[in-house]
């Protein structure tokens, strides 16, 4: 065959071999460290490692016979989300037409979502087991929190989107005055997003989102220390008081001790806002609401995939939250095992 080389039993297209070598040479040799970090948010020596732990297929095939290797596909996804850009802006970097760039990027995004969304959408025992919950609670208490059994912080975030043509009132958030989707996250002191629920319509209240997420039931089943003591997360005044969910004092006349408690817990709870900021700072495409059109693209899936990638970046390099509490995140291999 003129256009393929035989490799054992498999026949590998010659164009694929050339493109694979060319793309790996582009990433590992042509780009500088700063350029790779700016475009892909990952240092170039860590890109093959990230593709490996994400268990991306060696070659990505599309129905119209487009083929690319997993390094190139992952770089397309990272480049797309790292900064607001059009697919046409990526042609000079990857040498592919817009339809191929779009299909490959969506395929990689779907693959990451299908294989790894359970790490944040469900209770993850690898980072939420009793021993680690106690470790989280210890570092939070050592940082000045009055609670001795608080292992994380819960909050909701509003992500603005383009105004839809229909059902505008469902996704309109009256508090922020934007059309939006909402997500609920549990932030851990090692800098990871321990749990995320969403997307839901922008008008939904945080307390209602808590009920829909079934997080309280998960906490009641799993949030205990090695000695059997209940562990809790701490939220803002929008959340109800439960054994596994604490909130600030907010009714009646507050005593100085109550006000001090609120202030001390607020000083550590702010880290959940830092994690929301990390996701947007690393993947600024999510902050370009004019291109986030529900019904035309998977806006909710984009945010969840970027949250997973943000956890991966945190495992590699840490973040401000892990530095604040002095607690290192797990290694990349341990998190994705």
């Amino acid at each position: 065959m003129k256009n393929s080389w035989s490799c054992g039993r498999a026949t590998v297209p010659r164009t694929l071999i050339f493109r694979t070598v060319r793309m790996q040479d582009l990433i590992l040799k042509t780009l500088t460290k700063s350029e790779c970090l700016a475009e892909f948010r990952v240092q170039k020596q860590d890109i093959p490692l990230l593709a490996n732990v994400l268990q991306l297929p060696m070659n990505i095939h599309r129905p119209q016979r487009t083929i690319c290797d997993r390094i190139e596909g992952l770089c397309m996804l990272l480049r797309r989300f790292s900064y607001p850009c059009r697919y046409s802006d990526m042609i000079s970097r990857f040498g592919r037409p817009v339809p191929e760039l779009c299909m490959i990027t969506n395929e990689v995004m779907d693959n990451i979502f299908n294989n790894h969304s359970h790490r944040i959408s469900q209770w993850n025992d690898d980072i939420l087991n009793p021993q680690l919950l106690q470790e989280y609670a210890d570092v939070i208490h050592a940082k000045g929190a009055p609670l001795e059994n608080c292992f994380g912080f819960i909050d909701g975030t509003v992500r603005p989107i383009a105004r839809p043509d229909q059902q505008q009132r469902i996704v309109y958030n009256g508090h922020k005055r934007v059309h939006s989707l909402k997500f609920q996250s549990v932030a851990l002191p090692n800098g990871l997003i321990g749990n995320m629920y969403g997307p839901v319509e922008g008008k939904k209240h945080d307390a209602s989102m808590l009920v829909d997420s079934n997080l309280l039931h998960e906490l009641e089943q799993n949030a205990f220390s090695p000695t059997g003591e209940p562990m809790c997360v701490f939220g803002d005044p929008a959340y109800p008081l439960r054994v596994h969910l604490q909130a600030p004092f907010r009714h009646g006349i507050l005593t100085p001790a109550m006000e001090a408690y609120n202030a001390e817990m607020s000083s550590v709870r702010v880290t959940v806002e830092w994690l929301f900021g990390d996701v947007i700072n690393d993947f600024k495409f999510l902050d370009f609401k004019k291109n986030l059109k529900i019904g035309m693209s998977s806006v909710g899936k984009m945010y969840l995939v970027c949250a997973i990638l943000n956890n991966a970046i945190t495992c590699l390099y840490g973040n401000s939250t892990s530095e604040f509490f002095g607690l290192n995140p797990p290694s990349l291999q341990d998190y994705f095992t």
Side-chain angles (χ1 to χ4, degrees), residues 286-302:
L286 300 175
D287 207 26
F288 186 54
K289 70 175 186 178
K290 290 185 178 180
N291 207 32
L292 301 178
K293 303 175 181 179
I294 57 174
M296 297 186 65
S297 58
S298 304
V299 180
K301 184 184 293 186
M302 289 179 185

Side-chain angles (χ1 to χ4, degrees), residues 79-137:
R79 178 66 183 89
R80 172 67 168 169
F81 289 151
S82 65
Y83 201 79
C85 69
R86 297 167 294 185
Y87 284 114
S88 58
D89 299 328
M90 299 165 56
I91 294 177
S92 60
R93 175 61 68 199
F94 298 100
R96 289 181 181 271
V98 170
E100 288 189 12
L101 291 170
C102 179
M103 286 186 290
I104 294 172
T105 299
N106 288 333
E107 177 67 18
V108 175
M109 180 177 67
D110 290 343
N111 187 283
I112 294 174
F113 179 82
N114 293 334
N115 292 332
H116 301 287
S117 62
H118 66 277
R119 301 186 189 279
I120 59 175
S121 62
Q122 301 175 16
W123 187 268
N124 188 348
D125 282 320
D126 293 332
I127 58 174
L128 296 174
N129 58 63
Q131 290 76 19
L132 288 177
L133 294 185
Q134 185 62 60
E135 184 179 1
Y136 301 154

Side-chain angles (χ1 to χ4, degrees), residues 50-93:
L50 180 58
N52 186 49
V53 298
L54 289 174
Q55 301 175 5
L56 297 177
M58 293 301 297
N59 296 316
I60 298 169
H61 300 261
R62 300 308 301 139
Q64 89 294 2
R65 299 184 181 181
T66 293
I67 303 175
C68 81
D69 68 286
R70 64 179 180 178
I71 300 296
E72 183 180 6
L74 178 60
C75 288
M76 287 181 188
L77 180 72
L78 295 172
R79 178 66 183 89
R80 172 67 168 169
F81 289 151
S82 65
Y83 201 79
C85 69
R86 297 167 294 185
Y87 284 114
S88 58
D89 299 328
M90 299 165 56
I91 294 177
S92 60
R93 175 61 68 199

Side-chain angles (χ1 to χ4, degrees), residues 172-186:
Y172 185 75
N173 183 281
H175 177 63
K176 300 290 186 179
R177 292 183 171 85
V178 291
H179 296 87
S180 63
L181 298 177
K182 293 189 71 173
F183 297 84
Q184 173 188 276
S185 295
V186 174

Side-chain angles (χ1 to χ4, degrees), residues 1-48:
M1 297 178 63
K2 294 183 179 181
N3 294 326
S4 64
W5 287 334
S6 178
C7 181
R9 295 184 177 181
T11 301
V12 182
R14 185 181 303 178
T15 55
L16 176 59
I17 295 176
F18 287 156
R19 180 173 288 276
T20 301
V21 173
R22 190 164 59 248
M23 190 60 203
Q24 291 178 347
D25 184 72
L26 169 68
I27 296 173
L28 301 179
K29 295 182 180 180
T30 306
L31 292 179
T32 65
K33 292 182 179 180
S34 58
E35 288 175 337
C36 190
L37 194 61
E39 291 196 18
F40 306 133
R41 301 297 189 242
V42 180
Q43 295 181 7
K44 60 182 179 180
Q45 69 270 18
D46 295 324
I47 290 178

Side-chain angles (χ1 to χ4, degrees), residues 203-277:
K203 71 173 186 178
K204 189 174 284 290
H205 192 270
D206 285 356
S208 177
M209 189 162 51
L210 174 68
V211 175
D212 294 343
S213 68
N214 203 35
L215 179 62
L216 276 178
H217 177 72
E218 295 286 353
L219 291 170
E220 292 169 356
Q221 294 292 322
N222 303 289
F224 293 93
S225 69
T227 59
E229 297 296 324
M231 309 296 284
C232 71
V233 293
F234 188 84
D236 60 28
Y239 292 100
L241 283 174
R242 298 292 186 271
V243 173
H244 296 277
L245 175 59
Q246 296 295 303
F249 292 101
R250 56 187 182 271
H251 296 304
I253 300 176
L254 302 184
T255 65
M258 293 178 179
E259 293 179 350
Y261 171 88
N262 287 353
E264 291 168 354
M265 289 304 301
S266 178
S267 67
V268 291
R269 196 194 72 85
V270 70
T271 54
V272 70
E273 304 291 347
W274 296 353
L275 285 187
F276 290 145

